[in-house]
Amino acid sequence: MLHQPNEKKSRPASNFVKRSPIPSLYAETLEDEVKSVRDGEELEMMKLAELKELAKSRRVKGYSKLKKGELINLLKTL
């Protein structure tokens, strides 16, 4: 079977996700915090960067543009 010159070849989209084989110590401590977070008081004591890491670990989309209060409210609902 011959290919036509105007025929474009395409390959399926990749599902590749780059992951580090070395676990992050910061991510491990956040996992412990995720387990201990039960109410909003503990969330309000966390820094914005910690809240963003928590949202990232919970696979929340669109968290990076939220303000601290908005992020806390979002995490309370999860």
Side-chain angles (χ1 to χ4, degrees):
M1 181 171 168
L2 296 174
H3 292 287
Q4 299 295 328
N6 293 340
E7 185 179 325
K8 292 184 181 181
K9 295 180 184 179
S10 65
R11 60 173 70 170
S14 173
N15 293 333
F16 177 77
V17 176
K18 184 176 181 179
R19 296 176 193 227
S20 174
I22 304 169
S24 168
L25 292 176
Y26 188 67
E28 291 175 6
T29 57
L30 277 177
E31 288 177 9
D32 294 336
E33 287 180 26
V34 169
K35 292 175 186 173
S36 69
V37 171
R38 299 233 192 292
D39 55 45
E41 289 180 17
E42 292 180 15
L43 287 173
E44 290 176 14
M45 294 179 67
M46 295 173 74
K47 294 181 180 180
L48 182 60
E50 294 171 331
L51 291 169
K52 287 185 177 185
E53 283 293 322
L54 181 60
K56 183 178 181 181
S57 69
R58 291 184 180 183
R59 295 191 169 115
V60 176
K61 296 193 181 223
Y63 67 87
S64 64
K65 295 184 181 184
L66 297 177
K67 294 180 181 178
K68 184 176 180 179
E70 296 169 336
L71 190 53
I72 289 171
N73 289 336
L74 178 65
L75 291 171
K76 283 181 187 179
T77 60
L78 298 177

